[in-house]
Amino acid sequence: EDQVTQSPEALRLQEGESSSLNCSYTVSGLRGLFWYRQDPGKGPEFLFTLYSAGEEKEKERLKATLTKKESFLHITAPKPEDSATYLCAVLNDYKLSFGAGTTVTVRA
Amino acid sequence: IAGITQAPTSQILAAGRRMTLRCTQDMRHNAMYWYRQDLGLGLRLIHYSNTAGTTGKGEVPDGYSVSRANTDDFPLTLASAVPSQTSVYFCASAVRQGLEAFFGQGTRLTVV
């Protein structure tokens, strides 16, 4: 059975304090790993797709990396507007399996 | 820009009642999905459809049914609601199965 574990569950950062979120997975035949951002009361918003170990994607202050067993979402010099829950999901065959998410709070 | 529209936004439903959650997309995406999100459990797939006319079961399909009569619409029906179906339901779509999915705003359902 596919498993996706995200850590930490919650992360409180000071504005400008860089950090990383972890997504570890076990899946038979990874076809892709996805990162989403979710704001309270809203649906998840797509950020990145990673397909193979060593791949990296960047968007503004966010950078996602992938190894054979885990993915990291690096937040560089975060701002309060980066506060959200970040979800990762792995694609295996027909479905996405989501982790429970990391809730990031950035204080000004 | 509409994207994915879900209705209703929220609903309180008596146990045993039948309820259909509506989902419409205007992006001509082939794949559509229904997820439920519960605190601490993350998003779990209920049903999916890779193309109009076909559907499949996800990891938590019991008590739910779907249909995909055309490309745009993917309704989710609870035949006889139970309190354990209290959740936030998200509809999503993708150009095709395996690509990134785009989510609606969700329906918050409370079964009492």
Side-chain angles (χ1 to χ4, degrees), chain A residues 1 31 34 36 38 41-46 49 51 87 91-100, chain B residues 33 35 37 40-43 45 48 50 57-59 90 96-105:
Chain A
E1 183 178 320
R31 294 180 56 195
F34 299 77
Y36 286 84
Q38 186 173 25
K42 296 190 175 182
E45 175 188 344
F46 170 72
T49 308
Y51 289 106
L87 305 171
L91 176 66
N92 180 12
D93 196 13
Y94 66 88
K95 73 181 182 78
L96 283 175
S97 296
F98 280 84
Chain B
Y33 311 91
Y35 287 88
Q37 187 172 39
L41 295 177
L43 284 154
L45 182 66
Y48 66 95
N50 287 334
K57 294 181 179 181
E59 53 187 307
F90 287 101
R96 60 172 175 79
Q97 185 266 330
L99 296 182
E100 62 269 19
F102 297 89
F103 285 77
Q105 293 300 294

Side-chain angles (χ1 to χ4, degrees), chain B residues 45-92:
Chain B
L45 182 66
I46 304 171
H47 284 288
Y48 66 95
S49 170
N50 287 334
T51 190
T54 68
T55 62
K57 294 181 179 181
E59 53 187 307
V60 288
D62 294 343
Y64 306 95
S65 64
V66 292
S67 61
R68 186 90 185 274
N70 57 61
T71 297
D72 299 343
D73 301 300
F74 192 43
L76 176 73
T77 297
L78 289 68
S80 179
V82 295
S84 62
Q85 292 178 311
T86 293
S87 187
V88 181
Y89 291 85
F90 287 101
C91 179

Side-chain angles (χ1 to χ4, degrees), chain B residues 6-12 19-22 89 106-109:
Chain B
Q6 291 185 237
T9 302
S10 65
Q11 181 76 43
I12 299 174
M19 173 78 188
T20 296
L21 308 186
R22 300 185 297 279
Y89 291 85
T107 293
R108 182 173 295 275
L109 180 67

Side-chain angles (χ1 to χ4, degrees), chain A residues 3 5 10 22 33 37 41 44-45 47 50 56-57 68-69 71 75 84 91 95 99 108:
Chain A
Q3 285 195 331
T5 304
N22 178 263
L33 185 141
R37 168 193 172 124
E45 175 188 344
L47 292 174
L50 301 167
E56 300 182 351
K57 294 275 181 73
K68 289 186 177 180
K69 293 185 177 181
S71 177
I75 309 178
L91 176 66
K95 73 181 182 78

